[in-house]
Amino acid sequence: MTTLRLGLLRGGLEIKQFLRSRESVVFTLAFPLILLCVFGAVFGGEIAPGVTFTQYFAAGMIAAGLLATGFQSLAIQIPIEREKGILKRLRGTPMPRAAYFIGKIVMVLAIGLVETVLLVTAATLFFGVKLPATGEKWLTFVWVALLGITACTLCGIAFSSLARSGRSGPAVVTPVAIVLQFISGVFFQYTELPSWMRGIASVFPLKWMTQGMRSVFLPDSFAAQEPAGSWQHGTIALVLGGWIVLGLALCLLTFRWTERD
């Protein structure tokens, strides 16, 4: 079999393993949806003419769902597999090493698609978020989602090497994901955050993913409320592309198949 064929088969196995893990399903798929419903029910005031905080929050949660699927899930799963010796055994088989990573990518794309459909459906049915009305906005949605989840996936694989054991993975990864959501314009309006906090957030992908999703699901008039007074699509693509390159380099330099001595 070719490496790609083996990777796709491995991807099917990864999806089955994910769905059989109740913890993964709850925290990766259900938790962002629960947050959307809770915050959407509590906060509903307007933050700009024709735009409610719920609509703003929903756009941010779609980006945060991609972060949870790509970054958080892999940075927790891989240390567990490393601790159990799964990675060591896989490395000793004839299966090409690239097939393992292709399988992870297939799983992330499949679960990320399901996550996004669930969040978009809930946002449109219950919180007044309108689906993109033009082909240009749909195209923006696709490339922001693809670049964002690719960057998050590579960063999650690289970040998995920081956890010293499978049990310490959630303790290392979860605070990082939560802090990024708080400073990147998911739970609060980005322009209301302190300037130093916005400066930190602008270094990381999530801030640009949330801004890209706002450009898709909020009216074009809201672009004036952004710090730069526009959606900055070119900057979004540049930053996310830069993180893809950096994440790939970090994966090649830091990924470990066995635990540290």
Side-chain angles (χ1 to χ4, degrees):
M1 287 188 180
T2 63
T3 300
L4 178 59
R5 173 66 174 166
L6 287 170
L8 294 176
L9 292 174
R10 178 77 196 175
L13 176 61
E14 293 281 355
I15 294 172
K16 290 179 182 178
Q17 289 177 333
F18 177 89
L19 295 177
R20 289 171 181 171
S21 172
R22 287 175 293 180
E23 295 83 359
S24 297
V25 172
V26 169
F27 285 101
T28 303
L29 280 178
F31 191 59
L33 189 61
I34 292 171
L35 285 179
L36 175 62
C37 293
V38 170
F39 276 77
V42 174
F43 301 101
E46 282 195 346
I47 59 176
V51 178
T52 65
F53 176 78
T54 302
Q55 294 171 307
Y56 185 96
F57 176 68
M61 280 307 303
I62 293 169
L66 297 176
L67 177 77
T69 305
F71 173 77
Q72 202 167 349
S73 64
L74 291 185
I76 292 175
Q77 286 177 9
I78 293 175
I80 294 174
E81 294 176 351
R82 185 183 293 121
E83 183 180 52
K84 292 181 176 180
I86 295 173
L87 297 187
K88 184 177 181 180
R89 292 195 294 273
L90 286 175
R91 189 177 64 168
T93 68
M95 183 186 76
R97 297 182 184 183
Y100 171 78
F101 298 104
I102 293 173
K104 290 294 185 186
I105 292 171
V106 170
M107 184 271 291
V108 166
L109 291 177
I111 302 303
L113 177 61
V114 174
E115 176 80 276
T116 302
V117 170
L118 290 175
L119 290 171
V120 171
T121 301
T124 54
L125 289 179
F126 305 117
F127 303 116
V129 176
K130 295 181 179 179
L131 291 175
T134 64
E136 182 181 359
K137 284 192 175 256
W138 277 113
L139 180 61
T140 301
F141 173 71
V142 171
W143 70 255
V144 169
L146 286 178
L147 288 181
I149 200 168
T150 302
C152 290
T153 298
L154 293 171
C155 289
I157 294 172
F159 201 85
S160 68
S161 297
L162 293 181
R164 301 189 67 89
S165 67
R167 286 173 293 181
S168 66
V172 174
V173 177
T174 304
V176 174
I178 292 176
V179 169
L180 285 177
Q181 290 177 46
F182 271 100
I183 68 174
S184 298
V186 176
F187 296 107
F188 304 102
Q189 190 173 350
Y190 184 73
T191 51
E192 295 182 353
L193 298 172
S195 58
W196 64 268
M197 195 176 292
R198 297 200 303 267
I200 295 174
S202 64
V203 176
F204 298 98
L206 184 58
K207 181 268 180 188
W208 301 100
M209 293 164 63
T210 58
Q211 187 168 319
M213 289 302 172
R214 289 197 296 272
S215 75
V216 173
F217 292 100
L218 299 185
D220 290 333
S221 59
F222 192 82
Q225 304 293 326
E226 298 292 340
S230 66
W231 294 125
Q232 295 181 286
H233 284 152
T235 305
I236 293 171
L238 183 63
V239 173
L240 294 180
W243 270 101
I244 290 173
V245 174
L246 178 61
L248 179 60
L250 291 174
C251 287
L252 295 174
L253 291 172
T254 65
F255 187 80
R256 294 181 291 108
W257 293 88
T258 58
E259 288 191 287
R260 297 171 183 168
D261 293 336

